[in-house]
Amino acid sequence: MNPKLLFWVPAALRMGLILLGVGVLWWLFGALPALVAAFVALLVMVFVQLNYLYQLSDWLDDPKSGKLPDGWGAWTSIFSRLYRLRRDDEKNEAELTEWLARFRQAMHLLPDGVVIMDDVLFLEWCNPAAEEHLGLRHDRDKGMRVTNLVRSPDFMDYLILGRYDQPLTLSFRERKLIVHIIPFENRRQILVTHDITETQRAEMMRRDFIANASHELRTPLTVIVGFLEIAASEDLDAATRAAHLKLMTEQGHRMQHLIEDMLTLSRLESVDHPLRPEHVDIGKLMEQVLREARGLSAGKHEIDMTVEAGDLMGSAEELHSAFGNLASNAVRYTPAGGKIHLHWRDTAKGVQFVVEDTGIGISPEHISRLTERFYRVDKSRSRETQGTGLGLAIVKHVLLRHSGSLTIKSEAGKGSSFIVTLPKSTAAAPQPELLAG
Ligand code: ADP
């Protein structure tokens, strides 16, 4: 039914009933009692309306404090509609609070920085990533001009010139950032920062790696091509040809080692190649490493071995590559007559593979850089001994995959200790046949 009718029909009926009552009283008792009764009825009605008005004003002061009365007459519909409005309001508020909480959480988790500024660059809000990227503090800096907070000439120029069609690449506080400005609403703008420090570093490492690898491959290739040109243009005697062939074979092997090491490194780094731990027979592995080290030394060193701990879980092939590289380094960097000791032991820190040598040692300034690709203390010595400069990088990656670590202790001229520590959790359970025995 029409709401206006709903309001007016009951009111008219009530007024009609009062008039009817007054008319009956007039007819039965005369004019005075009827007028007095009409006056009293009017007073009661005014009092009821005033009381509801008072309750309404009380409730409007603090709508959350209590419930509205059911009301009488037209008040019933007014109160129930007001009550419904308040309930809808509360629901909307709760939904809004929830959305705001979700938005805040998303903004907190966002790796990109977001700054909201007004049209004259005053900071209104920023997320934690923006605080980190630009050194801002939302609670401290709110209401301040962003160009006064981020002190970089490039950043100021970019913001002041307002040419936002191109992003800005900004070097700020040892970070490389890509900065975008997006105008939004009428008088606001969003500043977005994207940190590309890591990507740039990875890109630089990749470029360095390619440059180094090309250089390393070019050197033996130049030697081979040189000899081939001589062989093609000159009539060489048998002895010279044999000497040239020997040198070319050596250079060929060098290239082969280098490519094998590069392939090993790329396999170790590949995410498509996760570690599948298997039981590693440490006795067998250590024997193999010892045999190879003795083979490389060709009797020039005194090499011995102690095995004091049990087997472990991991990749036998990768661990062989890591342990083998460390043992081969010890042989290559220890002058003839030196001593080398291989040790597999159990310690409080974990199980350890230790290679100790009495070789040329390493000065302290080089130690932290030894696991970088192609880093060598003495390039010519490394090449003389068939080094590729990738051995310790391979060791580092194998250990990363096994949650292990490498400690290097060395003194120039006195010798070195390379200590591989693997967590005890990699220790293998004893083999069933060993238990039975
Ligand atoms: P390389 O193939 O040149 O040996 P590595 O990555 O295995 O490459 O080692 C990096 C550098 O660390 C070597 O060039 C060498 O200078 C130094 N180094 C490694 N092991 C030893 C060692 N046992 N004694 C002295 N220097 C070492």
Side-chain angles (χ1 to χ4, degrees):
M1 205 199 272
N2 187 331
K4 275 188 186 157
L5 284 181
L6 264 178
F7 182 84
W8 285 113
V9 170
L13 274 175
R14 270 193 300 275
M15 285 305 288
L17 271 175
I18 290 171
L19 285 175
L20 187 72
V22 171
V24 171
L25 281 178
W26 197 312
W27 182 62
L28 289 177
F29 306 108
L32 192 66
L35 284 174
V36 169
F39 182 67
V40 170
L42 219 63
L43 269 184
V44 168
M45 277 181 70
V46 168
F47 175 76
V48 168
Q49 305 304 322
L50 282 176
N51 183 37
Y52 283 144
L53 271 176
Y54 170 76
Q55 287 194 33
L56 177 62
S57 125
D58 204 34
W59 182 82
L60 283 174
D61 279 344
D62 183 11
K64 283 191 181 137
S65 65
K67 204 170 172 295
L68 280 167
D70 288 339
W72 183 69
W75 287 104
T76 312
S77 126
I78 292 173
F79 285 159
S80 76
R81 268 189 283 163
L82 274 174
Y83 200 63
R84 226 177 306 130
L85 272 177
R86 203 200 90 190
R87 262 211 337 258
D88 289 352
D89 224 37
E90 274 177 358
K91 214 171 115 206
N92 287 343
E93 202 180 302
E95 268 174 17
L96 207 69
T97 315
E98 201 188 310
W99 269 105
L100 207 66
R102 270 196 227 158
F103 172 78
R104 281 228 173 95
Q105 202 184 14
M107 283 296 165
H108 265 73
L109 295 176
L110 206 68
D112 287 349
V114 179
V115 180
I116 298 182
M117 313 175 290
D118 65 14
D119 56 341
V120 276
L121 309 175
F122 282 95
L123 178 87
E124 291 190 353
W125 181 86
C126 66
N127 72 344
E131 293 188 328
E132 211 180 305
H133 291 171
L134 300 172
L136 302 172
R137 276 258 311 275
H138 174 241
D139 47 353
R140 182 195 60 195
D141 302 331
K142 196 174 168 208
M144 288 172 79
R145 204 147 195 261
V146 175
T147 40
N148 292 340
L149 298 167
V150 182
R151 291 254 167 219
S152 150
D154 290 345
F155 183 76
M156 284 190 207
D157 287 351
Y158 182 67
L159 256 72
I160 290 162
L161 291 175
R163 290 201 202 111
Y164 301 149
D165 46 336
Q166 290 288 325
L168 165 77
T169 307
L170 177 71
S171 297
F172 189 65
R173 305 197 329 158
E174 289 171 19
R175 281 177 201 271
K176 260 255 168 347
L177 302 169
I178 298 279
V179 179
H180 283 272
I181 306 263
I182 308 152
F184 95 115
E185 287 183 344
N186 228 352
R187 305 182 57 203
R188 282 204 174 78
Q189 33 203 353
I190 303 181
L191 183 150
V192 181
T193 56
H194 180 64
D195 189 350
I196 53 160
T197 321
E198 275 309 308
T199 330
Q200 281 232 327
R201 200 162 49 210
E203 177 59 24
M204 217 163 78
M205 270 175 67
R206 197 183 65 84
R207 252 185 280 143
D208 283 356
F209 182 72
I210 292 174
N212 280 324
S214 316
H215 177 75
E216 294 286 335
L217 283 169
R218 200 177 52 193
T219 318
L221 208 58
T222 313
V223 177
I224 294 173
V225 171
F227 282 133
L228 285 174
E229 278 170 4
I230 295 171
S233 61
E234 289 173 36
D235 219 1
L236 298 172
D237 59 78
T240 317
R241 204 170 49 235
H244 283 190
L245 279 176
K246 187 170 171 274
L247 284 169
M248 284 201 296
T249 313
E250 270 173 26
Q251 296 304 318
H253 280 148
R254 209 176 123 192
M255 285 168 68
Q256 211 172 9
H257 283 153
L258 189 65
I259 289 167
E260 274 164 15
D261 276 1
M262 289 201 299
L263 286 174
T264 307
L265 251 185
S266 102
R267 223 181 16 251
L268 288 171
E269 281 183 327
S270 159
V271 277
D272 306 332
H273 186 66
L275 181 75
R276 289 205 180 81
E278 57 191 358
H279 187 105
V280 181
D281 183 339
I282 203 72
K284 210 166 118 192
L285 177 65
M286 292 290 286
E287 278 298 336
Q288 201 180 353
V289 173
L290 178 68
R291 215 173 29 248
E292 286 163 1
R294 283 185 175 154
L296 186 66
S297 155
K300 290 194 210 90
H301 307 90
E302 199 182 301
I303 308 176
D304 59 7
M305 178 176 89
T306 327
V307 178
E308 289 171 340
D311 293 349
L312 79 158
M313 298 300 291
S315 158
E317 191 192 333
E318 290 180 18
L319 289 170
H320 173 229
S321 167
F323 294 0
N325 263 309
L326 293 176
S328 116
N329 279 355
V331 174
R332 291 188 298 117
Y333 297 105
T334 301
K339 285 186 187 162
I340 295 163
H341 183 63
L342 310 180
H343 200 166
W344 178 247
R345 65 188 184 195
D346 200 347
T347 69
K349 290 182 194 155
V351 273
Q352 288 185 333
F353 171 74
V354 186
V355 185
E356 284 166 319
D357 64 52
T358 55
I360 60 169
I362 308 154
S363 310
E365 69 271 21
H366 295 292
I367 290 184
S368 63
R369 300 197 56 191
L370 291 183
T371 54
E372 285 175 25
R373 294 152 191 215
F374 298 113
Y375 188 85
R376 290 145 162 149
V377 175
D378 178 351
K379 277 200 181 358
S380 56
R381 187 180 179 106
S382 164
R383 291 214 181 93
E384 266 167 37
T385 58
Q386 298 284 321
T388 61
L390 294 175
L392 291 181
I394 291 176
V395 173
K396 183 177 108 178
H397 275 90
V398 169
L399 297 185
L400 266 177
R401 283 162 67 84
H402 285 79
S403 313
S405 60
L406 177 69
T407 314
I408 305 169
K409 291 180 185 161
S410 189
E411 213 178 308
K414 292 214 167 145
S416 318
S417 298
F418 284 75
I419 305 161
V420 167
T421 307
L422 293 159
K424 284 214 184 221
S425 54
T426 56
Q431 294 280 277
E433 64 266 27
L434 294 180
L435 279 177

